[in-house]
Amino acid sequence: MLANLGQGIAASTPNPAGSPAGVNVSSCQPSAAHPRPVVLITGTFGNMIDDWSGLGPTLANRGYCVYSTVIGGSPSSLIQTIGAVATSAAQIGTFVTQVRSRTGAAQVDLVGHSQGGLIGEYYLKNLNGASKVHSFVGLSPTTHGTTLDGLALLGKAFGITDVIGAACPACGDQVPGSAVVTALNAGPVAQPGVSYTIIETRNEFVVTPAGTAAFIAEPGVTNTWVQNSCPFDAVDHASLSYDKGVYDLVDNALDPAHPQPVHCCF
């Protein structure tokens, strides 16, 4: 298990298509305690190792079967999840089918970070994925879009400054008013039969305005700030998938019948 995004980027450099520890373990079989596989969806510029080397191993260590896949970019590229959102959502749909077949599970749970949340939301609503998914957890998803300035700031966190624009179709797809955001927000975002939880930080610098850009203000959706549970947690957008408090919030969203205490970072 890695401690932060910087460590994740360094670890992914030799093999950008690699999986974090505990993720994509072929021998994993869902248990009675955790009957649904968890599919992690990477955020903009992210790959499996740099985005999920905190939360992924944590969920695996807690008994979940955890999966993820390369989307929106070349497996050989360190920078992934930059392709068109609709294409990435279709890739997730194919992967969900593969995971269900591999594990025998009727449904999976989805956890998406940043654009990964938008991809999950789009798959559920616009690609008819809801029947295959029990729970969706979004870590600061770009539900209602964000600004290119915000995505440029995220690019700097990954050490890149020159992929915003034509080289990043997903960036344009995440701007308010884009065809993707418009289609997602035409009518209710949340789909019947799926449990939705959105987790956001008050230290948000990418998906702005904080809260309103990510949250789904619809009946039955749980929208929460990390700081509601951990008032002094300074976690920002890029670090959500490496935050110990977030680990517990995600676990509780996936398994609300057995709530865990939230361990806070300071």
Side-chain angles (χ1 to χ4, degrees), residues 103-137:
T103 62
Q107 292 182 307
V108 304
D109 293 333
L110 300 181
V111 180
H113 182 198
S114 192
Q115 184 202 154
L118 175 65
I119 290 169
E121 292 165 348
Y122 190 89
Y123 163 66
L124 289 169
K125 176 177 178 176
N126 300 91
L127 298 183
N128 301 312
S131 65
K132 305 173 184 68
V133 175
H134 181 277
S135 298
F136 168 80
V137 182

Side-chain angles (χ1 to χ4, degrees), residues 52-221:
W52 298 120
S53 286
L55 181 61
T58 297
L59 292 177
N61 288 340
R62 296 183 183 187
Y64 292 89
C65 289
V66 186
Y67 298 91
S68 191
T69 188
V70 175
I71 55 172
S74 168
S76 63
S77 174
L78 189 65
I79 303 301
Q80 299 172 15
T81 327
I82 57 175
V85 165
T87 301
S88 294
Q91 291 174 332
I92 288 298
T94 298
F95 188 66
V96 165
T97 298
Q98 293 170 351
V99 170
R100 291 171 60 233
S101 176
R102 183 185 309 170
T103 62
Q107 292 182 307
V108 304
D109 293 333
L110 300 181
V111 180
H113 182 198
S114 192
Q115 184 202 154
L118 175 65
I119 290 169
E121 292 165 348
Y122 190 89
Y123 163 66
L124 289 169
K125 176 177 178 176
N126 300 91
L127 298 183
N128 301 312
S131 65
K132 305 173 184 68
V133 175
H134 181 277
S135 298
F136 168 80
V137 182
L139 308 182
S140 185
T142 48
T143 306
H144 307 293
T146 186
T147 63
L148 286 176
D149 285 345
L151 292 165
L153 289 171
L154 180 62
K156 290 181 181 179
F158 278 86
I160 55 176
T161 57
D162 59 351
V163 298
I164 307 298
C168 180
C171 296
D173 283 345
Q174 292 176 87
V175 173
S178 74
V180 166
V181 172
T182 298
L184 177 65
N185 287 275
V189 174
Q191 297 302 289
V194 181
S195 172
Y196 284 76
T197 301
I198 308 299
I199 301 170
E200 181 58 290
T201 175
R202 293 190 183 278
N203 300 303
E204 181 61 60
F205 66 91
V206 175
V207 184
T208 55
T212 56
F215 288 156
I216 302 174
E218 297 173 13
V221 177

